[in-house]
Amino acid sequence: MNCEKNIQATYELYHLIEKNEYDKVKELCHPDFKFYSSINSPLNADEFVTQEKGHMDAFPGFKMTVIETFAKEDKVAAYLTFSGVQSKTYLGLEPTHRPVYFSLMFMLTFKDGKVIENRAHYNGQDIMKQLGS
């Protein structure tokens, strides 16, 4: 798969998350998929989908916008922004009805046309601060 196709797949992945189409998200994941939101605790595709759905459900109608991507060989770096209002429980925090707006950086690795690894970088403390916690 070439760089352009990997970039297109990256846009599709985050578009599907935004649309809450998690079955299709899982289809974009390689059978050996690993997601890292921390260095030493990878999640498989099922765990990733469960975690993402749980987090995103707290912000109905959220927007996840891909701002820029860079690709080299089998890797895509994607810079995104997230905006939404917390109206359901998030990480044990009861709904605050406060808006959040933050940036994320992802490094995705592709194999056989699917995402085999996704590493996420974002400031979780900033999110909680925006929610008043």
Side-chain angles (χ1 to χ4, degrees), residues 48-87:
F48 167 70
V49 165
T50 298
Q51 175 182 279
E52 290 299 286
K53 183 168 176 14
H55 290 176
M56 303 309 169
D57 283 354
F59 301 90
F62 70 90
K63 294 290 177 207
M64 217 169 168
T65 305
V66 178
I67 304 297
E68 190 149 9
T69 58
F70 300 91
K72 182 178 179 184
E73 298 172 3
D74 64 345
K75 297 194 183 310
V76 175
Y79 175 69
L80 290 81
T81 58
F82 178 99
S83 60
V85 175
Q86 186 214 7
S87 60

mmCIF file of all heavy atoms in Angstrom, residues 48-87:
data_model
loop_
_atom_site.group_PDB
_atom_site.id
_atom_site.type_symbol
_atom_site.label_atom_id
_atom_site.label_comp_id
_atom_site.label_asym_id
_atom_site.label_seq_id
_atom_site.Cartn_x
_atom_site.Cartn_y
_atom_site.Cartn_z
ATOM 1 N N PHE A 48 -9.522 -1.578 21.938
ATOM 2 C CA PHE A 48 -9.442 -0.229 21.383
ATOM 3 C C PHE A 48 -10.834 0.308 21.068
ATOM 4 O O PHE A 48 -11.191 1.420 21.464
ATOM 5 C CB PHE A 48 -8.572 -0.244 20.127
ATOM 6 C CG PHE A 48 -8.661 0.997 19.283
ATOM 7 C CD1 PHE A 48 -8.131 2.201 19.713
ATOM 8 C CD2 PHE A 48 -9.267 0.952 18.035
ATOM 9 C CE1 PHE A 48 -8.204 3.342 18.925
ATOM 10 C CE2 PHE A 48 -9.344 2.082 17.234
ATOM 11 C CZ PHE A 48 -8.811 3.280 17.682
ATOM 12 N N VAL A 49 -11.621 -0.488 20.364
ATOM 13 C CA VAL A 49 -12.972 -0.059 19.984
ATOM 14 C C VAL A 49 -13.819 0.186 21.232
ATOM 15 O O VAL A 49 -14.529 1.192 21.317
ATOM 16 C CB VAL A 49 -13.621 -1.092 19.034
ATOM 17 C CG1 VAL A 49 -15.113 -0.877 18.918
ATOM 18 C CG2 VAL A 49 -12.965 -1.020 17.659
ATOM 19 N N THR A 50 -13.735 -0.696 22.207
ATOM 20 C CA THR A 50 -14.502 -0.528 23.453
ATOM 21 C C THR A 50 -14.091 0.754 24.166
ATOM 22 O O THR A 50 -14.946 1.524 24.625
ATOM 23 C CB THR A 50 -14.297 -1.746 24.379
ATOM 24 O OG1 THR A 50 -14.796 -2.908 23.707
ATOM 25 C CG2 THR A 50 -15.022 -1.571 25.697
ATOM 26 N N GLN A 51 -12.775 0.999 24.253
ATOM 27 C CA GLN A 51 -12.294 2.211 24.920
ATOM 28 C C GLN A 51 -12.728 3.467 24.178
ATOM 29 O O GLN A 51 -13.241 4.407 24.776
ATOM 30 C CB GLN A 51 -10.770 2.187 25.031
ATOM 31 C CG GLN A 51 -10.202 3.478 25.616
ATOM 32 C CD GLN A 51 -8.702 3.463 25.685
ATOM 33 O OE1 GLN A 51 -8.152 2.888 26.602
ATOM 34 N NE2 GLN A 51 -8.043 4.089 24.720
ATOM 35 N N GLU A 52 -12.526 3.477 22.855
ATOM 36 C CA GLU A 52 -12.882 4.661 22.073
ATOM 37 C C GLU A 52 -14.376 4.956 22.174
ATOM 38 O O GLU A 52 -14.774 6.092 22.378
ATOM 39 C CB GLU A 52 -12.479 4.490 20.608
ATOM 40 C CG GLU A 52 -10.989 4.509 20.382
ATOM 41 C CD GLU A 52 -10.346 5.804 20.814
ATOM 42 O OE1 GLU A 52 -10.494 6.819 20.121
ATOM 43 O OE2 GLU A 52 -9.673 5.797 21.859
ATOM 44 N N LYS A 53 -15.192 3.926 22.032
ATOM 45 C CA LYS A 53 -16.641 4.125 22.132
ATOM 46 C C LYS A 53 -17.020 4.677 23.495
ATOM 47 O O LYS A 53 -17.804 5.615 23.603
ATOM 48 C CB LYS A 53 -17.385 2.819 21.856
ATOM 49 C CG LYS A 53 -18.891 2.993 21.890
ATOM 50 C CD LYS A 53 -19.606 1.788 21.351
ATOM 51 C CE LYS A 53 -21.113 1.865 21.446
ATOM 52 N NZ LYS A 53 -21.732 3.123 21.739
ATOM 53 N N GLY A 54 -16.424 4.120 24.552
ATOM 54 C CA GLY A 54 -16.706 4.613 25.904
ATOM 55 C C GLY A 54 -16.328 6.073 26.084
ATOM 56 O O GLY A 54 -17.091 6.854 26.667
ATOM 57 N N HIS A 55 -15.169 6.448 25.567
ATOM 58 C CA HIS A 55 -14.739 7.844 25.680
ATOM 59 C C HIS A 55 -15.608 8.762 24.835
ATOM 60 O O HIS A 55 -16.062 9.807 25.304
ATOM 61 C CB HIS A 55 -13.283 7.992 25.252
ATOM 62 C CG HIS A 55 -12.309 7.375 26.209
ATOM 63 N ND1 HIS A 55 -10.973 7.349 25.949
ATOM 64 C CD2 HIS A 55 -12.465 6.772 27.403
ATOM 65 C CE1 HIS A 55 -10.337 6.762 26.942
ATOM 66 N NE2 HIS A 55 -11.231 6.392 27.839
ATOM 67 N N MET A 56 -15.845 8.379 23.591
ATOM 68 C CA MET A 56 -16.580 9.251 22.671
ATOM 69 C C MET A 56 -18.062 9.374 23.039
ATOM 70 O O MET A 56 -18.660 10.418 22.809
ATOM 71 C CB MET A 56 -16.442 8.759 21.226
ATOM 72 C CG MET A 56 -15.012 8.650 20.734
ATOM 73 S SD MET A 56 -14.038 10.141 20.987
ATOM 74 C CE MET A 56 -12.409 9.515 20.625
ATOM 75 N N ASP A 57 -18.622 8.330 23.622
ATOM 76 C CA ASP A 57 -20.029 8.389 24.032
ATOM 77 C C ASP A 57 -20.284 9.488 25.054
ATOM 78 O O ASP A 57 -21.408 9.978 25.179
ATOM 79 C CB ASP A 57 -20.495 7.049 24.603
ATOM 80 C CG ASP A 57 -20.775 6.009 23.524
ATOM 81 O OD1 ASP A 57 -20.726 6.353 22.318
ATOM 82 O OD2 ASP A 57 -21.036 4.846 23.892
ATOM 83 N N ALA A 58 -19.258 9.892 25.793
ATOM 84 C CA ALA A 58 -19.413 10.952 26.794
ATOM 85 C C ALA A 58 -19.584 12.326 26.145
ATOM 86 O O ALA A 58 -19.981 13.281 26.809
ATOM 87 C CB ALA A 58 -18.210 10.961 27.738
ATOM 88 N N PHE A 59 -19.296 12.406 24.839
ATOM 89 C CA PHE A 59 -19.331 13.680 24.113
ATOM 90 C C PHE A 59 -20.185 13.546 22.851
ATOM 91 O O PHE A 59 -19.682 13.655 21.729
ATOM 92 C CB PHE A 59 -17.901 14.101 23.732
ATOM 93 C CG PHE A 59 -16.983 14.270 24.908
ATOM 94 C CD1 PHE A 59 -16.242 13.197 25.380
ATOM 95 C CD2 PHE A 59 -16.879 15.494 25.548
ATOM 96 C CE1 PHE A 59 -15.394 13.339 26.466
ATOM 97 C CE2 PHE A 59 -16.033 15.650 26.643
ATOM 98 C CZ PHE A 59 -15.292 14.567 27.108
ATOM 99 N N PRO A 60 -21.491 13.294 23.001
ATOM 100 C CA PRO A 60 -22.337 13.100 21.810
ATOM 101 C C PRO A 60 -22.213 14.277 20.833
ATOM 102 O O PRO A 60 -22.164 15.430 21.241
ATOM 103 C CB PRO A 60 -23.753 13.035 22.387
ATOM 104 C CG PRO A 60 -23.576 12.646 23.819
ATOM 105 C CD PRO A 60 -22.259 13.246 24.237
ATOM 106 N N GLY A 61 -22.099 13.933 19.554
ATOM 107 C CA GLY A 61 -22.001 14.963 18.533
ATOM 108 C C GLY A 61 -20.615 15.578 18.418
ATOM 109 O O GLY A 61 -20.445 16.588 17.736
ATOM 110 N N PHE A 62 -19.614 14.955 19.059
ATOM 111 C CA PHE A 62 -18.255 15.490 19.020
ATOM 112 C C PHE A 62 -17.749 15.609 17.579
ATOM 113 O O PHE A 62 -18.242 14.953 16.677
ATOM 114 C CB PHE A 62 -17.297 14.613 19.842
ATOM 115 C CG PHE A 62 -17.041 13.270 19.230
ATOM 116 C CD1 PHE A 62 -15.988 13.090 18.343
ATOM 117 C CD2 PHE A 62 -17.848 12.182 19.529
ATOM 118 C CE1 PHE A 62 -15.752 11.848 17.773
ATOM 119 C CE2 PHE A 62 -17.623 10.946 18.969
ATOM 120 C CZ PHE A 62 -16.574 10.772 18.088
ATOM 121 N N LYS A 63 -16.736 16.431 17.415
ATOM 122 C CA LYS A 63 -16.065 16.588 16.119
ATOM 123 C C LYS A 63 -14.593 16.224 16.301
ATOM 124 O O LYS A 63 -13.940 16.688 17.236
ATOM 125 C CB LYS A 63 -16.157 18.032 15.608
ATOM 126 C CG LYS A 63 -17.572 18.461 15.280
ATOM 127 C CD LYS A 63 -18.073 17.745 14.059
ATOM 128 C CE LYS A 63 -19.504 18.120 13.763
ATOM 129 N NZ LYS A 63 -20.214 17.072 13.052
ATOM 130 N N MET A 64 -14.120 15.389 15.400
ATOM 131 C CA MET A 64 -12.720 14.995 15.377
ATOM 132 C C MET A 64 -12.218 15.353 13.988
ATOM 133 O O MET A 64 -12.625 14.741 13.010
ATOM 134 C CB MET A 64 -12.619 13.488 15.625
ATOM 135 C CG MET A 64 -11.468 13.079 16.434
ATOM 136 S SD MET A 64 -11.648 11.351 16.898
ATOM 137 C CE MET A 64 -10.006 11.129 17.496
ATOM 138 N N THR A 65 -11.381 16.367 13.911
ATOM 139 C CA THR A 65 -10.971 16.907 12.625
ATOM 140 C C THR A 65 -9.499 16.613 12.364
ATOM 141 O O THR A 65 -8.640 16.976 13.180
ATOM 142 C CB THR A 65 -11.197 18.433 12.601
ATOM 143 O OG1 THR A 65 -12.570 18.696 12.929
ATOM 144 C CG2 THR A 65 -10.876 19.009 11.238
ATOM 145 N N VAL A 66 -9.227 15.967 11.256
ATOM 146 C CA VAL A 66 -7.848 15.753 10.842
ATOM 147 C C VAL A 66 -7.351 17.061 10.237
ATOM 148 O O VAL A 66 -7.875 17.528 9.232
ATOM 149 C CB VAL A 66 -7.721 14.596 9.821
ATOM 150 C CG1 VAL A 66 -6.270 14.445 9.380
ATOM 151 C CG2 VAL A 66 -8.255 13.292 10.396
ATOM 152 N N ILE A 67 -6.342 17.644 10.862
ATOM 153 C CA ILE A 67 -5.794 18.922 10.419
ATOM 154 C C ILE A 67 -4.676 18.711 9.403
ATOM 155 O O ILE A 67 -4.608 19.391 8.388
ATOM 156 C CB ILE A 67 -5.259 19.737 11.617
ATOM 157 C CG1 ILE A 67 -6.352 19.947 12.670
ATOM 158 C CG2 ILE A 67 -4.656 21.058 11.155
ATOM 159 C CD1 ILE A 67 -7.540 20.752 12.216
ATOM 160 N N GLU A 68 -3.803 17.733 9.702
ATOM 161 C CA GLU A 68 -2.672 17.505 8.811
ATOM 162 C C GLU A 68 -2.158 16.089 8.972
ATOM 163 O O GLU A 68 -2.272 15.487 10.043
ATOM 164 C CB GLU A 68 -1.543 18.490 9.133
ATOM 165 C CG GLU A 68 -0.440 18.480 8.116
ATOM 166 C CD GLU A 68 0.221 19.839 7.966
ATOM 167 O OE1 GLU A 68 -0.044 20.756 8.750
ATOM 168 O OE2 GLU A 68 1.011 19.950 7.027
ATOM 169 N N THR A 69 -1.619 15.552 7.882
ATOM 170 C CA THR A 69 -1.014 14.228 7.910
ATOM 171 C C THR A 69 0.340 14.273 7.210
ATOM 172 O O THR A 69 0.561 15.102 6.323
ATOM 173 C CB THR A 69 -1.897 13.177 7.203
ATOM 174 O OG1 THR A 69 -2.113 13.593 5.853
ATOM 175 C CG2 THR A 69 -3.223 12.975 7.909
ATOM 176 N N PHE A 70 1.203 13.386 7.643
ATOM 177 C CA PHE A 70 2.506 13.185 7.004
ATOM 178 C C PHE A 70 2.706 11.690 6.874
ATOM 179 O O PHE A 70 2.396 10.941 7.811
ATOM 180 C CB PHE A 70 3.648 13.756 7.863
ATOM 181 C CG PHE A 70 3.529 15.218 8.119
ATOM 182 C CD1 PHE A 70 2.855 15.689 9.236
ATOM 183 C CD2 PHE A 70 4.100 16.131 7.255
ATOM 184 C CE1 PHE A 70 2.741 17.049 9.491
ATOM 185 C CE2 PHE A 70 3.995 17.487 7.500
ATOM 186 C CZ PHE A 70 3.320 17.948 8.618
ATOM 187 N N ALA A 71 3.219 11.228 5.764
ATOM 188 C CA ALA A 71 3.407 9.794 5.559
ATOM 189 C C ALA A 71 4.800 9.490 5.051
ATOM 190 O O ALA A 71 5.382 10.265 4.282
ATOM 191 C CB ALA A 71 2.366 9.257 4.579
ATOM 192 N N LYS A 72 5.312 8.363 5.496
ATOM 193 C CA LYS A 72 6.590 7.851 5.019
ATOM 194 C C LYS A 72 6.536 6.331 5.120
ATOM 195 O O LYS A 72 6.241 5.790 6.199
ATOM 196 C CB LYS A 72 7.744 8.388 5.852
ATOM 197 C CG LYS A 72 9.107 7.917 5.370
ATOM 198 C CD LYS A 72 10.211 8.518 6.209
ATOM 199 C CE LYS A 72 11.563 8.012 5.712
ATOM 200 N NZ LYS A 72 12.640 8.503 6.553
ATOM 201 N N GLU A 73 6.762 5.684 3.989
ATOM 202 C CA GLU A 73 6.744 4.226 3.914
ATOM 203 C C GLU A 73 5.419 3.698 4.486
ATOM 204 O O GLU A 73 4.372 4.017 3.960
ATOM 205 C CB GLU A 73 7.981 3.639 4.597
ATOM 206 C CG GLU A 73 9.266 4.068 3.920
ATOM 207 C CD GLU A 73 10.513 3.677 4.660
ATOM 208 O OE1 GLU A 73 10.434 3.008 5.700
ATOM 209 O OE2 GLU A 73 11.600 4.061 4.177
ATOM 210 N N ASP A 74 5.454 2.927 5.592
ATOM 211 C CA ASP A 74 4.235 2.319 6.134
ATOM 212 C C ASP A 74 3.630 3.108 7.286
ATOM 213 O O ASP A 74 2.722 2.636 7.965
ATOM 214 C CB ASP A 74 4.518 0.879 6.579
ATOM 215 C CG ASP A 74 5.520 0.798 7.725
ATOM 216 O OD1 ASP A 74 6.217 1.801 8.008
ATOM 217 O OD2 ASP A 74 5.610 -0.282 8.344
ATOM 218 N N LYS A 75 4.101 4.337 7.519
ATOM 219 C CA LYS A 75 3.648 5.123 8.671
ATOM 220 C C LYS A 75 2.941 6.407 8.237
ATOM 221 O O LYS A 75 3.299 7.028 7.249
ATOM 222 C CB LYS A 75 4.824 5.481 9.563
ATOM 223 C CG LYS A 75 5.500 4.262 10.165
ATOM 224 C CD LYS A 75 6.412 4.646 11.292
ATOM 225 C CE LYS A 75 7.147 3.480 11.873
ATOM 226 N NZ LYS A 75 6.364 2.339 12.234
ATOM 227 N N VAL A 76 1.933 6.792 9.049
ATOM 228 C CA VAL A 76 1.242 8.068 8.875
ATOM 229 C C VAL A 76 1.190 8.759 10.232
ATOM 230 O O VAL A 76 0.786 8.158 11.225
ATOM 231 C CB VAL A 76 -0.199 7.884 8.342
ATOM 232 C CG1 VAL A 76 -0.935 9.221 8.298
ATOM 233 C CG2 VAL A 76 -0.192 7.229 6.976
ATOM 234 N N ALA A 77 1.617 10.003 10.267
ATOM 235 C CA ALA A 77 1.442 10.851 11.439
ATOM 236 C C ALA A 77 0.232 11.733 11.157
ATOM 237 O O ALA A 77 0.116 12.307 10.070
ATOM 238 C CB ALA A 77 2.676 11.703 11.684
ATOM 239 N N ALA A 78 -0.664 11.794 12.108
ATOM 240 C CA ALA A 78 -1.890 12.574 11.924
ATOM 241 C C ALA A 78 -2.096 13.510 13.108
ATOM 242 O O ALA A 78 -2.075 13.079 14.258
ATOM 243 C CB ALA A 78 -3.093 11.641 11.785
ATOM 244 N N TYR A 79 -2.279 14.793 12.794
ATOM 245 C CA TYR A 79 -2.566 15.809 13.799
ATOM 246 C C TYR A 79 -4.058 16.121 13.709
ATOM 247 O O TYR A 79 -4.559 16.469 12.638
ATOM 248 C CB TYR A 79 -1.728 17.062 13.538
ATOM 249 C CG TYR A 79 -2.062 18.210 14.459
ATOM 250 C CD1 TYR A 79 -1.748 18.148 15.810
ATOM 251 C CD2 TYR A 79 -2.699 19.343 13.980
ATOM 252 C CE1 TYR A 79 -2.059 19.196 16.663
ATOM 253 C CE2 TYR A 79 -3.003 20.396 14.822
ATOM 254 C CZ TYR A 79 -2.683 20.322 16.161
ATOM 255 O OH TYR A 79 -3.001 21.352 17.002
ATOM 256 N N LEU A 80 -4.767 15.961 14.826
ATOM 257 C CA LEU A 80 -6.212 16.152 14.865
ATOM 258 C C LEU A 80 -6.598 17.110 15.978
ATOM 259 O O LEU A 80 -5.843 17.306 16.933
ATOM 260 C CB LEU A 80 -6.936 14.823 15.148
ATOM 261 C CG LEU A 80 -6.948 13.757 14.089
ATOM 262 C CD1 LEU A 80 -5.661 12.970 14.088
ATOM 263 C CD2 LEU A 80 -8.110 12.815 14.323
ATOM 264 N N THR A 81 -7.800 17.649 15.866
ATOM 265 C CA THR A 81 -8.413 18.355 16.992
ATOM 266 C C THR A 81 -9.721 17.657 17.338
ATOM 267 O O THR A 81 -10.346 17.015 16.487
ATOM 268 C CB THR A 81 -8.702 19.839 16.674
ATOM 269 O OG1 THR A 81 -9.563 19.920 15.547
ATOM 270 C CG2 THR A 81 -7.415 20.605 16.446
ATOM 271 N N PHE A 82 -10.084 17.753 18.600
ATOM 272 C CA PHE A 82 -11.318 17.167 19.118
ATOM 273 C C PHE A 82 -12.080 18.276 19.801
ATOM 274 O O PHE A 82 -11.510 19.056 20.570
ATOM 275 C CB PHE A 82 -10.988 16.067 20.135
ATOM 276 C CG PHE A 82 -12.198 15.425 20.768
ATOM 277 C CD1 PHE A 82 -12.658 14.210 20.293
ATOM 278 C CD2 PHE A 82 -12.868 16.024 21.818
ATOM 279 C CE1 PHE A 82 -13.772 13.605 20.865
ATOM 280 C CE2 PHE A 82 -13.985 15.440 22.393
ATOM 281 C CZ PHE A 82 -14.432 14.218 21.913
ATOM 282 N N SER A 83 -13.385 18.357 19.539
ATOM 283 C CA SER A 83 -14.238 19.302 20.259
ATOM 284 C C SER A 83 -15.559 18.617 20.569
ATOM 285 O O SER A 83 -16.067 17.823 19.780
ATOM 286 C CB SER A 83 -14.473 20.577 19.440
ATOM 287 O OG SER A 83 -15.114 20.265 18.212
ATOM 288 N N GLY A 84 -16.057 18.888 21.740
ATOM 289 C CA GLY A 84 -17.330 18.318 22.153
ATOM 290 C C GLY A 84 -17.734 18.827 23.526
ATOM 291 O O GLY A 84 -16.969 19.524 24.193
ATOM 292 N N VAL A 85 -18.925 18.470 23.922
ATOM 293 C CA VAL A 85 -19.461 18.841 25.232
ATOM 294 C C VAL A 85 -19.717 17.559 26.007
ATOM 295 O O VAL A 85 -20.401 16.658 25.501
ATOM 296 C CB VAL A 85 -20.765 19.665 25.095
ATOM 297 C CG1 VAL A 85 -21.375 19.952 26.452
ATOM 298 C CG2 VAL A 85 -20.492 20.959 24.332
ATOM 299 N N GLN A 86 -19.186 17.481 27.213
ATOM 300 C CA GLN A 86 -19.351 16.278 28.022
ATOM 301 C C GLN A 86 -20.759 16.236 28.624
ATOM 302 O O GLN A 86 -21.078 16.973 29.537
ATOM 303 C CB GLN A 86 -18.314 16.216 29.148
ATOM 304 C CG GLN A 86 -18.397 14.905 29.894
ATOM 305 C CD GLN A 86 -18.088 15.024 31.362
ATOM 306 O OE1 GLN A 86 -17.928 16.112 31.901
ATOM 307 N NE2 GLN A 86 -18.052 13.884 32.032
ATOM 308 N N SER A 87 -21.587 15.343 28.103
ATOM 309 C CA SER A 87 -22.949 15.220 28.620
ATOM 310 C C SER A 87 -23.231 13.830 29.188
ATOM 311 O O SER A 87 -24.352 13.539 29.586
ATOM 312 C CB SER A 87 -23.964 15.579 27.534
ATOM 313 O OG SER A 87 -23.831 14.719 26.434
#
